[in-house]
Amino acid sequence: MTFKNILVPYDGSAHSNRTFNKALEIAKQHNSNLKVVACLDIANLGGWYIDKRTNNDIMKKAKNLTEKLFSKLDNAAKKKSIPVDFKIIESKNTVNALTSFAKSKNIDLIIIGSSGRGGFDKVLLGSVSNGVMQKAKCPVLIIK
Amino acid sequence: MIKNILVALDGSKNSIRALSNAIQFAKQTDASITGLFVIQSFPTEMGLVRTMVGKALSKHYKRFIPIAKTMCTKKGVEFLDVVENGEEGKTIVSFAHKHNFDLIVIGSRGMGTLGKLFLGSTSNYVVNSSKIPVMIVK
């Protein structure tokens, strides 16, 4: 077994930037493909009580923002000449979306930051990383 | 760069899988592996006393250490085995911090018996309290 495909969940936080850099390092050593995935949560956008269209607006803005973040990451990856795929997933449950994505794409290793945007403290483990750790079928590397 | 890898071993199937994953990792980066076996024991006035589980496991370790060694030497990876007494989770984390390891590799479930349905108690403790990256092997 080799680490051919590596999944890196990304949410734009400082933690996930650090995780991405670490993943680049590891991918270079193992000659593996990186898949960077951003999960957009459609369950609790919070715009529903104003207008239904508000949610669509929020979604569009979120997508634009993530694409901008992705282009930054892409530059960093191109400098090190590592193949990286980017993907945006919309889902109601981030953990389930990530684990099912890992299953369908035959991911060998998930590299995830210990906490991201959620979570109240850096001391504790984030809810998403904890969920992924429990549910994933492949090895999970947690970057502190 | 990952140069020193700590693998927490307890002789279970999961820990063997963890070791083979660690070897895979170490081969690419020419890293050395340290296998840490922890014998469960608790502090008393007379010093550390091994529990019943610890005594049973320590016998098990004697059989398992050569297996782990041959697994590593077959793939040409440096292997060092360390046996420590203490509480599993705390010992693993403090050992890793003290000796400047770059990565801890641990199986998701080991020899723990109680209702550790999803993640083992030791691996959970290690993930939550270590300051260095942790790899959980399923």
Side-chain angles (χ1 to χ4, degrees):
Chain A
M1 198 199 112
T2 48
F3 302 117
K4 263 263 161 94
N5 297 312
I6 298 178
L7 173 66
V8 185
Y10 185 80
D11 70 349
S13 62
H15 241 286
S16 67
N17 281 326
R18 196 131 43 86
T19 309
F20 181 73
N21 288 334
K22 199 92 187 178
L24 281 181
E25 211 177 273
I26 290 166
K28 191 149 203 196
Q29 286 159 1
H30 293 254
N31 295 325
S32 41
N33 299 318
L34 279 184
K35 284 190 166 59
V36 178
V37 166
C39 247
L40 301 181
D41 197 350
I42 36 177
N44 35 21
L45 283 177
W48 54 270
Y49 52 82
I50 305 167
D51 194 345
K52 271 193 175 174
R53 280 165 294 177
T54 331
N55 274 352
N56 293 338
D57 276 355
I58 292 171
M59 223 46 209
K60 255 184 209 162
K61 275 177 189 165
K63 266 188 188 169
N64 282 336
L65 185 70
T66 39
E67 268 159 16
K68 263 182 208 164
L69 289 172
F70 278 171
S71 66
K72 265 186 203 167
L73 297 186
D74 201 19
N75 289 335
K78 266 178 190 159
K79 265 182 202 163
K80 295 193 176 180
S81 63
I82 294 161
V84 185
D85 288 339
F86 293 99
K87 201 172 183 209
I88 300 173
I89 298 179
E90 289 175 37
S91 74
K92 282 187 179 170
N93 189 328
T94 314
V95 174
N96 281 348
L98 287 175
T99 46
S100 61
F101 181 84
K103 220 187 219 174
S104 64
K105 297 275 153 109
N106 293 326
I107 299 291
D108 304 310
L109 177 69
I110 301 176
I111 303 181
I112 190 167
S114 65
S115 67
R117 283 175 178 277
F120 65 94
D121 208 340
K122 293 267 144 61
V123 181
L124 297 174
L125 203 63
S127 57
V128 174
S129 47
N130 203 0
V132 168
M133 208 169 71
Q134 309 254 6
K135 283 191 178 169
K137 292 278 189 293
C138 54
V140 181
L141 176 60
I142 295 180
I143 308 289
K144 290 278 168 171
Chain B
M1 280 295 274
I2 292 164
K3 279 280 163 212
N4 298 312
I5 300 176
L6 180 69
V7 188
L9 296 169
D10 66 352
S12 64
K13 268 184 192 169
N14 251 327
S15 74
I16 292 174
R17 218 165 322 138
L19 181 61
S20 62
N21 265 296
I23 291 169
Q24 190 66 243
F25 229 99
K27 251 176 78 179
Q28 302 285 344
T29 57
D30 293 328
S32 66
I33 292 178
T34 304
L36 178 64
F37 297 83
V38 182
I39 296 171
Q40 197 185 56
S41 41
F42 59 94
T44 60
E45 286 169 352
M46 289 120 67
L48 283 171
V49 173
R50 288 178 185 183
T51 60
M52 294 292 278
V53 178
K55 274 178 193 163
L57 274 177
S58 64
K59 275 181 198 163
H60 191 65
Y61 290 164
K62 270 179 200 153
R63 264 188 297 141
F64 185 65
I65 289 172
I67 297 173
K69 230 173 208 169
T70 47
M71 269 175 79
C72 287
T73 45
K74 254 185 203 168
K75 295 278 166 82
V77 177
E78 222 176 295
F79 182 79
L80 187 78
D81 61 280
V82 180
V83 180
E84 289 256 322
N85 288 295
E87 246 175 276
E88 293 100 331
K90 271 182 194 166
T91 314
I92 291 167
V93 172
S94 64
F95 187 83
H97 288 171
K98 210 196 283 170
H99 296 274
N100 293 326
F101 283 96
D102 304 313
L103 176 68
I104 302 175
V105 182
I106 190 168
S108 67
R109 231 177 308 168
M111 292 296 239
T113 44
L114 273 176
K116 290 142 195 171
L117 270 172
F118 300 107
L119 211 63
S121 59
T122 305
S123 49
N124 204 1
Y125 181 89
V126 170
V127 164
N128 275 298
S129 58
S130 91
K131 290 201 181 87
I132 57 175
V134 181
M135 185 152 101
I136 304 268
V137 178
K138 295 276 166 171

